[in-house]
């Protein structure tokens, strides 16, 4: 590796154009040193997920005064439309067909608005040697990293990032909804080692999660040789397979989870996780069972749900 002091530049990358004629663009930070690998990092595909952009701001302060090998490309806010509207997904007025940007990768230059956005960003991604997608979860979700099972390079990235839990996807099915069009699935299919990091919960900045994100990215850059130091040794991760059937609502209503169940607990197949009630009549609509024996990594808490909505995620040890 050839380490040299960082040269930092920013550019505005145009992604598309709104009906009014206003351009939609994102800010791309480039940290360039000597010869070496390229690492692409992005955050805020979903507009309410704030810990990623906060972590990347702090990472900026650390990268500008060091020597690195290669390049680090950073897009702190990928989905400007959702971010400005303070919404999880892009408002349907902009793309009724594809409101979730994280279901359209690697994009399509001739597709819907968000498919065009992804295609313009994919031009940066496809030249990378590793990629990181920063997210935040629900209020009740284990902080974890996700990667493709059987991909040693991605597994090393996950280990270096250092969360207590690692969720793995089987190679032929690299996302929850089986679409194959999440950022992680598309990037893995392109042969690029990639991880998704879930940093605490949404709508607010959680300082501990932000600090963990900065430390995790720095250690990942050490593992790739971008930073000159040896990667720090991290505690062994608990590896969970993300291949259990999700727990969903079979009826609409008000979901009340069992108060004694929390993320990280192991449950048996068929074990009651909570109940869906009809809030006006008080009638029980559904007793919600665990689909398989495994570890709860996410669960809804006292929320209004519609039929088919995910209530809990279960992962299988191993």
């Amino acid at each position: 590796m050839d380490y040299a002091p960082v040269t930092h530049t920013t550019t505005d990358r145009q992604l598309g154009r709104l009906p009014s004629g206003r351009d939609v663009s994102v800010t791309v930070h480039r940290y360039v040193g000597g010869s070496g690998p390229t690492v692409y990092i992005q955050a805020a595909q979903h507009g309410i997920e704030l810990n990623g952009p906060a972590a990347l701001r702090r990472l900026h302060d650390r990268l500008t005064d060091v020597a690195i090998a290669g390049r680090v490309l950073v897009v702190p806010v990928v989905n400007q439309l959702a971010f400005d509207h303070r919404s999880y997904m892009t408002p349907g007025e902009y793309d009724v067909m594809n409101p979730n940007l994280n279901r359209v990768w690697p994009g399509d230059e001739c597709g819907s608005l968000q498919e065009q956005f992804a295609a313009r960003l994919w031009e940066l991604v496809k030249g990378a040697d590793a990629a990181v997608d920063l997210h935040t979860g629900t209020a009740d979700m284990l902080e974890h990293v996700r990667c493709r099972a059987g991909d040693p390079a991605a597994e090393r990235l996950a280990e270096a990032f250092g969360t207590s839990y690692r969720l793995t996807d089987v190679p032929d099915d690299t996302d929850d909804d089986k679409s194959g069009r999440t950022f992680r699935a598309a990037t893995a299919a392109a042969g690029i080692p990639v991880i998704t990091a879930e940093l605490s919960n949404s709508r607010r900045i959680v300082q501990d999660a932000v600090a963990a994100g900065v430390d995790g990215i720095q250690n990942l850059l050490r593992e790739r040789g971008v930073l000159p130091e040896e990667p720090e040794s991290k505690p062994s991760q608990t590896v969970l397979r993300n291949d259990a059937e999700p727990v969903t609502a079979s009826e609409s209503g008000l979901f009340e989870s069992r108060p004694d169940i929390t993320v990280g607990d192991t449950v048996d197949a068929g074990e009651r996780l909570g109940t869906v009630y009809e809030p006006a009549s008080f009638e029980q609509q559904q007793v919600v069972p665990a689909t398989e024996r495994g570890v709860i990594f996410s669960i809804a808490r006292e929320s209004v749900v519609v039929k088919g909505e995910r209530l809990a995620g279960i992962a299988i040890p191993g």
Side-chain angles (χ1 to χ4, degrees):
M1 297 291 181
D2 178 20
Y3 294 95
V6 162
T7 299
H8 170 249
T9 58
T10 60
T11 56
D12 289 331
R13 186 173 188 83
Q14 184 181 344
L15 301 185
R17 181 167 293 174
L18 299 181
S20 65
R22 180 169 65 90
D23 290 338
V24 178
S25 61
V26 295
T27 300
V28 181
H29 293 257
R30 289 175 170 83
Y31 306 87
V32 180
S35 60
T38 296
V39 177
Y40 174 87
I41 308 171
Q42 67 175 24
Q45 282 206 70
H46 301 126
I48 61 173
E49 299 183 353
L50 308 180
N51 291 325
L56 293 177
R57 181 179 69 81
R58 290 160 176 78
L59 180 71
H60 169 80
D61 294 338
R62 300 190 187 186
L63 285 183
T64 50
D65 291 329
V66 298
I68 68 171
R71 299 190 304 164
V72 181
L73 305 182
V74 171
V75 184
V77 180
V78 168
N79 193 337
Q80 300 246 343
L81 297 178
F83 191 91
D84 286 345
H85 282 79
R86 294 186 289 182
S87 61
Y88 177 76
M89 290 190 286
T90 302
E93 293 86 352
Y94 295 107
D95 194 336
V96 68
M97 298 300 295
N98 296 296
N100 191 340
L101 179 59
N102 201 26
R103 297 295 184 272
V104 301
W105 297 90
D108 182 351
E109 286 279 7
C110 299
S112 69
L113 189 67
Q114 293 217 113
E115 288 178 318
Q116 294 175 41
F117 289 0
R120 288 286 290 143
L121 285 167
W122 189 253
E123 294 172 10
L124 299 176
V125 180
K126 66 184 181 182
D129 300 294
V132 179
D133 192 19
L134 298 177
H135 286 258
T136 64
T138 61
D140 284 279
M141 175 180 279
L142 292 174
E143 289 187 20
H144 63 276
V145 289
R146 298 187 180 207
C147 70
R148 188 174 188 172
D151 183 341
E155 290 172 351
R156 287 195 297 272
L157 296 181
E159 290 171 0
F161 197 88
T163 53
S164 297
Y165 290 87
R166 184 201 323 163
L167 267 64
T168 62
D169 305 300
V170 295
D172 294 332
D173 181 21
T174 51
D175 47 32
D176 289 340
D177 68 350
K178 323 301 180 190
S179 70
R181 300 195 71 191
T182 65
F183 179 84
R184 183 176 72 259
T187 306
I192 301 167
V194 57
I195 63 167
T196 299
E198 297 280 0
L199 301 174
S200 190
N201 55 24
S202 303
R203 296 191 183 277
R204 63 191 181 94
I205 293 173
V206 180
Q207 295 297 339
D208 288 347
V210 170
V214 177
D215 291 343
I217 295 170
Q218 281 191 286
N219 209 46
L220 180 150
L221 294 176
R222 296 185 189 106
E223 194 282 329
R224 293 300 298 178
V226 174
L227 291 174
E229 303 86 3
E230 288 295 316
E232 295 177 0
S233 178
K234 298 286 186 177
S236 296
Q237 291 176 318
T238 299
V239 179
L240 303 171
R241 301 198 320 271
N242 188 30
D243 56 5
E245 192 69 23
V247 178
T248 58
S250 62
E251 300 291 341
S252 300
L254 185 64
F255 174 62
E256 295 186 20
S257 60
R258 267 176 49 197
D260 60 322
I261 284 184
T262 188
V263 291
D265 287 350
T266 298
V267 295
D268 291 317
E271 183 175 341
R272 185 177 72 86
L273 303 181
T275 307
V276 177
Y277 294 95
E278 205 283 315
S281 69
F282 313 133
E283 292 180 3
Q284 178 178 291
Q285 300 295 306
Q286 176 192 4
V287 175
V288 179
T291 50
E292 299 189 49
R293 176 175 172 78
V295 176
I296 298 273
F297 70 86
S298 69
I299 189 166
R301 291 290 186 194
E302 290 69 45
S303 56
V304 176
V305 298
V306 295
K307 185 175 181 178
E309 187 172 346
R310 178 190 289 260
L311 301 178
I314 297 176
I316 300 171

